[in-house]
Amino acid sequence: MAAAHAFDPDALRRALTTRVAGEIRFDAVSRALYSTDASVYQIQPAGVAIPRTRDDLAAILDACREAGCPITMRGGGTSQAGQAIGRGLIVDTSKYLNRVLDVHPEERWARVEPGVVLDELNAALKPHGLRFAPDVSTASRATIGGMMANNSSGARSILYGKTIDHVLEQDVLLSDGSVVRARAWTDDEARAACAGESVLARGCRLLRQLGREHAAEIDRRFPNVLRRVGGYNLDAFVPGRPFDLTKLMVGSEGTLGIVLEARLGLVPLPAAKAVLSVQFDSLLDSLEATPLILRHRPSAVEVMDRFILDHTKKSPALDALRRSFVEGDPASLLCVELYADRAADLPPMLDALEADLRAAGWGSHVHRALAADAQARIWSLREAALGLSMAMKTDEKAISFVEDTAVPPERLRDYIARFLEIVRRHGTTAGIYAHASVGCLHVRPVIDLKTADGVSRFEAIAREVAELVLEFGGALSGEHGDGLVRSPFMRRMYGPVLYDAFESIKRTFDPAGLFNPGKIVDAEPLTANLRYGAGYETPRPATRFDYSAYGGMAGAVEMCSGLGACRKTLDGTMCPSFMATREEMHSTRGRANALRLAMAGRLGEAGLGDEGMYRTLDWCLECRACKAECPVGVDVARFKSEFLADYWTRHAMPRRARLLAEVHALGRIGSRLAPVSNWIAGAPLVRQARALALGIDGRRRLPRFARRRLEDRLPAVEHADAVIFADTFSNYYDPDVGLAAAAVLEAGGLRVGLAGNVCCGRPKISKGLLRDAAALAAANTDRLHRHAAAGRPIVFCEPSCLSAVREDAPDLLRGDLARKAREVAEACVPFEQLAGNLADRLRFRPGPAAILLHAHCHQKSMGLAGPTHALLARLPGSTVTDTHAGCCGMAGSFGYEHVELSRAIADHRLLPAIRARAPGTVIVATGTSCRQQVADLTGETAVHPAVLVASCLEARG
């Protein structure tokens, strides 16, 4: 076991702050944020460094070497084996060292920094018709540095191999501060590198010696499978192979040096591809069928079992994906991908494969996907499997610890049968998915690691699976690496001779043991450093929202396992503040982690009252995208509301927050006093005063009050067919939206009236005034239930108000009132959905030629953006384009309090989409906040869908 490193954190912090241009953080929250990755482990670091340049990396190494402090390099923090956590200094390269430095398409290579994310690299390569071949399911957040450290592979490794096969060069910072350009050297270059007494020279001589002396043992003990990434790659240094130091550094998990940049080989994008999904009534049958499928030379064969498929049903978005190509309730699904030079070649290839499957009696149902969007749906479901495997709401979770074994594909069926026997013998079940093509299935047993019995089963299953892997000639790690969870088995897997060789490599390249200690060699016991562990006490704080499905709020927070889907930047909405800042603190994962530790009392004495915890949640826009886009539905917006409700009991609530929570009352007063109130609100001195006194930025214009409210202009109808919810914005600021919605619905043949509601409660929920919000929820339930009971749709023009009544109100109430609130929620519909149902009755004049649509975050989080697009597409002559912009950055009051971040979020995708639109394009935005953001930042006018649709109605006689 590695010796403990004693060092002075304060002295280290001072040295780093003096020498490093990047950010140095030793505060409690930052240390907590970096104490976990996607594994079952947790280790509190001494501090965090976020370097800006490669010179910073050199300065960090110098300071840590002088202090005797270990260094753990980190990219996306998605390691499932615990490689990205450690007790010393965590060095995060993902925020700044994330550039694509050079691309040579004609020579098919690119030079990159270690923090660049795979999807972002491939987006830069796509115009050249190229990509980096390894395609991990975490591609939206996995960094190239992490992929090199783990020797990652992905679904198509049967065609492209592993990361090690595509790294041409690396600039590596060694433990003595020297930098080596690792690549395949000539014999003369290798001899020169071996000369002298530098770390490089001693290391190169050792590698040659070990490769020569242990060639037979390497041949005997290294598993003969494609997917072997455990240990150090000594097999690359046996006699007769080119001397290439990248072969050692790739897969070394940051234990031998720091990669400063790399030159990567690229592959062309496939000319044509198709996907065949094959359903089976048995998991073992699907595995037995795999060798037959491999004869057809697929690019990928991926499996998902019933455990994974059943969990898709709990997510509306994933259930829709599932139903688009899965029939019934299969026990297993194989996704088979084929490449071809021409699209016309694919149908005959699929015919041949299907014929062989039928002849062998395999497959209960087959689905072909030839179109790109159909294939994308299948792969989206497959890529969600990692998150889905962790979607259990109890303390029992399907966890990573034996999930990465690999055996020869022809032995996979028998191996998994034996594996599942081990799982059943220990009284549990497992979820299974991943790479049938190369015999690397991710099997995740369900275990409660908060109990002594669970920890005991964890250890026993790990030990028995390691023995089973040896019996089948497989690898304990097929792509996720050794880390904390597999390093304890290295001596057993490779034998004492090769393990001693691994130790000598580590000691030679890293004499002081500073680089990511405890990984690959010198491991701590398997059960050390568990995130929970036997005796862990789950906090049970009092809450306003109902978390009974999770056993309490702590259970809901603990659903975040660290897989990091919230760190994506190229698509979706989650997480807007992370997309703008690249800060772990401002990711969904970061906030959930910090909150979990604060609730458990591991964030210092202040705990939930900590100012750092407040800052961590303050930049959450409450867009609710995490609720929809996180594979396990972590809802940080709701957690923030609960946190604030508690926080205000410990700290005085700012006047600004109280004022913004009362926007409904302000609207009522302002509309009565309009237009005088508008003149006062817009006066320069008033703007300055509100900025100084309340912190509401003077650069922001307040929305204008309407003198005649919606409730004054749209009468109640006793026997209405549908009622419109008079939300604060439509009632007091923009009644034309409600009137337009009524006009469209009436043109569709409905009698329309007002719902007679009170405020939805969204502003109070956002500011943590949950007692008041619950009172509003109760009042609305009493007022609206008669409409729901009569089968009358309750129509919403504002998505944030719809989500408050539809999703928040039922969970703020209890007992019979909660039941009634759920019935009200079922009656609530967005305007566009109801209008779309009536579209065949509506007659339109030609609409604008081009419409640019931006849907509100809450609308997208509820899966309700589609009806808006479909309704606008009914306008004759109109082409509707989505901004694909995620969050606009305004988010209710957020944009008034955080102007610069709000603008940065808008600049990420929304503003470029608006700037790029064709002349004459009409901008449509469903949310009041979104329309205000567009007006403030562009000077353009965005309209509500109801206003545009109403303007295109044909006049009736």
Side-chain angles (χ1 to χ4, degrees):
M1 188 183 301
H5 291 79
F7 59 93
D8 182 348
D10 290 334
L12 176 65
R13 177 182 52 78
R14 289 192 297 269
L16 291 168
T17 302
T18 304
R19 303 180 193 181
V20 175
E23 298 162 21
I24 305 301
R25 301 174 184 171
F26 279 62
D27 61 282
V29 171
S30 294
R31 293 166 62 212
L33 291 173
Y34 286 88
S35 66
T36 58
D37 51 13
S39 72
V40 297
Y41 295 102
Q42 177 173 303
I43 298 176
Q44 181 103 314
V48 178
I50 305 177
R52 291 181 180 272
T53 66
R54 61 186 285 168
D55 288 342
D56 275 354
L57 289 172
I60 288 168
L61 174 59
D62 286 345
C64 287
R65 188 172 56 242
E66 292 167 10
C69 172
I71 298 172
T72 297
M73 302 300 296
R74 180 174 170 122
T78 59
S79 308
Q80 293 189 59
Q83 292 96 328
I85 55 176
R87 289 187 177 81
L89 187 73
I90 301 292
V91 182
D92 182 353
T93 62
S94 66
K95 184 175 181 179
Y96 298 119
L97 293 174
N98 54 21
R99 296 176 299 164
V100 179
L101 299 170
D102 204 1
V103 177
H104 280 247
E106 65 285 350
E107 298 173 18
R108 292 186 181 173
W109 61 263
R111 195 162 54 90
V112 303
E113 292 179 317
V116 67
V117 170
L118 176 59
D119 270 356
E120 295 178 17
L121 169 61
N122 282 336
L125 297 173
K126 187 175 182 180
H128 304 292
L130 300 170
R131 75 177 185 199
F132 185 57
D135 54 344
V136 294
S137 63
T138 53
S140 63
R141 61 272 193 195
T143 64
I144 297 299
M147 291 178 67
M148 290 188 294
N150 272 18
N151 196 8
S152 298
S153 305
R156 296 168 183 85
S157 61
I158 190 172
L159 189 64
Y160 294 121
K162 305 188 289 284
T163 295
I164 198 170
D165 302 307
H166 303 276
V167 177
L168 305 177
E169 292 181 350
Q170 292 174 314
D171 285 2
V172 183
L173 179 65
L174 299 178
S175 60
D176 60 359
S178 63
V179 176
V180 59
R181 175 151 293 179
R183 56 179 171 78
W185 288 332
T186 65
D187 289 342
D188 288 342
E189 288 172 327
R191 278 193 292 272
C194 290
E197 290 303 317
S198 66
V199 165
L200 176 63
R202 292 197 303 271
C204 290
R205 289 198 299 271
L206 177 69
L207 289 172
R208 282 190 153 183
Q209 174 192 339
L210 295 174
R212 183 175 59 252
E213 292 179 356
H214 299 316
E217 185 74 354
I218 289 168
D219 184 62
R220 187 171 74 88
R221 296 301 301 238
F222 270 54
N224 186 25
V225 293
L226 173 64
R227 299 292 287 271
R228 192 278 307 165
V229 302
Y232 292 123
N233 296 320
L234 260 181
D235 55 330
F237 296 91
V238 296
R241 302 197 63 174
F243 194 94
D244 185 350
L245 206 57
T246 68
K247 305 302 185 188
L248 177 68
M249 292 299 166
V250 173
S252 64
E253 303 188 3
T255 62
L256 303 178
I258 297 173
V259 176
L260 304 174
E261 63 182 61
R263 188 164 68 91
L264 309 174
L266 310 175
V267 299
L269 292 170
K273 55 187 177 181
V275 176
L276 194 73
S277 70
V278 189
Q279 297 179 195
F280 292 83
D281 296 327
S282 159
L283 169 67
L284 296 181
D285 283 351
S286 67
L287 302 181
E288 192 168 352
T290 298
L292 180 150
I293 294 171
L294 292 176
R295 293 203 292 268
H296 291 260
R297 301 178 63 83
S299 55
V301 184
E302 296 289 291
V303 68
M304 288 182 283
D305 77 341
R306 177 176 275 127
F307 182 97
I308 302 297
L309 293 170
D310 282 351
H311 276 91
T312 66
K313 300 173 185 177
K314 301 175 183 179
S315 162
L318 294 176
D319 187 46
L321 289 176
R322 179 187 192 275
R323 288 186 283 105
S324 70
F325 68 96
V326 175
E327 281 198 1
D329 190 26
S332 180
L333 182 73
L334 286 183
C335 301
V336 184
E337 184 183 68
L338 299 170
Y339 283 176
D341 293 331
R342 301 178 306 156
D345 295 335
L346 288 166
M349 295 168 67
L350 294 172
D351 291 341
L353 175 54
E354 287 191 49
D356 272 6
L357 287 169
R358 281 194 303 271
W362 297 127
S364 58
H365 174 73
V366 173
H367 174 86
R368 291 188 181 192
L370 291 167
D373 59 343
Q375 295 174 38
R377 286 193 290 271
I378 293 174
W379 287 121
S380 292
L381 193 73
R382 161 60 188 92
E383 288 166 5
L386 170 58
L388 288 167
S389 67
M390 297 179 282
M392 303 175 72
K393 295 180 179 179
T394 63
D395 284 340
E396 288 190 323
K397 296 279 192 291
I399 58 174
S400 292
F401 69 108
V402 288
E403 86 298 343
D404 199 33
T405 61
V407 299
E410 63 273 14
R411 305 192 70 186
L412 182 59
R413 188 258 180 219
D414 293 341
Y415 169 74
I416 291 297
R418 293 274 302 280
F419 197 135
L420 292 178
E421 285 178 14
I422 293 173
V423 172
R424 282 192 292 270
R425 191 167 63 252
H426 286 280
T428 187
T429 58
I432 299 176
Y433 66 98
H435 320 299
S437 58
V438 288
C440 180
L441 294 195
H442 298 330
V443 185
R444 301 170 67 99
V446 175
I447 290 178
D448 179 3
L449 279 178
K450 295 179 180 177
T451 67
D453 177 66
V455 173
S456 176
R457 280 195 281 179
F458 168 82
E459 193 169 22
I461 291 173
R463 185 176 59 253
E464 291 179 36
V465 167
E467 295 299 325
L468 184 68
V469 168
L470 275 175
E471 179 185 337
F472 274 77
L476 196 58
S477 178
E479 66 178 334
H480 294 162
D482 297 327
L484 297 168
V485 76
R486 279 174 281 275
S487 295
F489 298 98
M490 284 300 97
R491 182 181 292 274
R492 181 73 185 97
M493 295 304 299
Y494 291 96
V497 172
L498 293 184
Y499 183 79
D500 289 348
F502 292 165
E503 283 191 315
S504 64
I505 291 171
K506 171 66 173 175
R507 285 194 299 270
T508 302
F509 278 92
D510 183 21
L514 297 184
F515 290 139
N516 210 10
K519 318 301 176 7
I520 301 182
V521 297
D522 301 324
E524 293 185 70
L526 178 69
T527 56
N529 306 306
L530 290 173
R531 186 183 298 195
Y532 299 114
Y536 179 86
E537 291 292 332
T538 302
R540 304 286 183 199
T543 61
R544 282 287 172 181
F545 283 107
D546 180 8
Y547 300 96
S548 56
Y550 302 92
M553 181 180 170
V557 174
E558 288 169 4
M559 289 295 291
C560 177
S561 62
L563 61 93
C566 46
R567 289 174 59 95
K568 60 185 178 179
T569 60
L570 297 182
D571 58 17
T573 303
M574 176 181 71
C575 176
S577 47
F578 175 80
M579 290 183 187
T581 66
R582 304 265 181 160
E583 279 281 355
E584 178 69 17
M585 174 187 287
H586 301 310
S587 69
T588 300
R589 177 180 72 180
R591 293 174 180 130
N593 260 334
L595 187 56
R596 173 179 60 83
L597 290 163
M599 292 171 67
R602 298 186 180 184
L603 206 59
E605 293 182 7
L608 288 171
D610 185 78
E611 291 285 348
M613 188 69 242
Y614 176 84
R615 289 193 300 273
T616 300
L617 287 170
D618 186 42
W619 279 19
C620 168
L621 285 81
E622 299 169 73
C623 67
R624 307 205 77 171
C626 50
K627 180 179 181 293
E629 296 179 20
C630 170
V632 295
V634 171
D635 189 354
V636 169
R638 181 164 289 186
F639 301 160
K640 177 181 178 180
S641 298
E642 290 281 12
F643 168 80
L644 289 175
D646 176 79
Y647 193 77
W648 302 140
T649 67
R650 308 164 189 263
H651 302 269
M653 187 177 186
R655 289 192 297 270
R656 175 186 72 250
R658 190 168 295 281
L659 181 69
L660 293 170
E662 299 294 343
V663 65
H664 185 83
L666 289 173
R668 183 171 60 248
I669 296 168
S671 65
R672 287 176 181 170
L673 299 177
V676 175
S677 53
N678 291 323
W679 178 84
I680 294 173
L685 287 176
V686 174
R687 282 185 169 191
Q688 294 175 22
R690 78 174 194 232
L692 291 172
L694 299 173
I696 300 175
D697 201 290
R699 290 170 289 179
R700 286 287 193 186
R701 293 176 295 174
L702 295 176
R704 295 181 64 80
F705 299 107
R707 178 65 176 172
R708 294 189 64 204
R709 302 168 298 180
L710 179 62
E711 59 189 316
D712 298 328
R713 301 168 67 181
L714 185 64
V717 177
E718 185 61 30
H719 300 291
D721 299 310
V723 291
I724 290 180
F725 186 95
D727 65 83
T728 297
F729 312 105
S730 297
N731 196 32
Y732 297 124
Y733 300 97
D734 204 353
D736 287 345
V737 169
L739 294 171
V744 174
L745 299 178
E746 288 171 350
L750 300 184
R751 291 170 297 175
V752 179
L754 277 182
N757 55 275
V758 297
C759 174
C760 71
R762 170 61 61 214
K764 293 184 183 294
I765 292 170
S766 295
K767 296 304 176 187
L769 298 176
L770 297 185
R771 185 188 301 273
D772 295 347
L776 290 173
N780 271 325
T781 298
D782 285 339
R783 294 187 180 206
L784 299 175
H785 188 261
R786 66 185 182 92
H787 297 301
R792 195 173 294 136
I794 304 168
V795 182
F796 285 74
C797 298
E798 176 57 42
S800 62
C801 298
L802 173 62
S803 71
V805 177
R806 191 167 172 168
E807 298 189 327
D808 291 321
D811 287 343
L812 279 169
L813 302 174
R814 302 291 187 272
D816 191 55
L817 206 51
R819 177 188 61 79
K820 288 183 176 181
R822 286 191 288 272
E823 292 174 1
V824 169
E826 290 173 4
C828 295
V829 296
F831 154 76
E832 298 90 340
Q833 183 175 329
L834 185 55
N837 294 341
L838 304 171
D840 290 339
R841 305 183 195 176
L842 301 172
R843 297 293 177 265
F844 295 116
R845 297 190 299 271
I851 299 171
L852 183 65
L853 171 63
H854 178 75
H856 189 282
C857 293
H858 288 198
Q859 185 179 8
K860 287 180 279 196
S861 76
M862 292 183 286
L864 295 174
T868 304
H869 193 285
L871 177 63
L872 295 175
R874 298 292 292 261
L875 299 179
S878 294
T879 299
V880 185
T881 303
D882 199 289
T883 61
H884 299 294
C887 181
C888 74
M890 190 64 165
S893 64
F894 185 90
Y896 290 93
E897 302 172 89
H898 305 288
V899 172
E900 297 305 329
L901 178 59
S902 175
R903 178 183 288 276
I905 292 169
D907 271 332
H908 186 62
R909 275 185 273 163
L910 175 61
L911 298 187
I914 291 175
R915 288 192 288 264
R917 78 191 191 284
T921 300
V922 172
I923 306 170
V924 175
T926 53
T928 298
S929 293
C930 310
R931 298 193 295 277
Q932 184 74 34
Q933 181 80 316
V934 170
D936 275 4
L937 299 186
T938 72
E940 304 281 357
T941 298
V943 299
H944 189 279
V947 172
L948 179 58
V949 172
S951 72
C952 295
L953 288 172
E954 282 191 349
R956 291 178 292 176

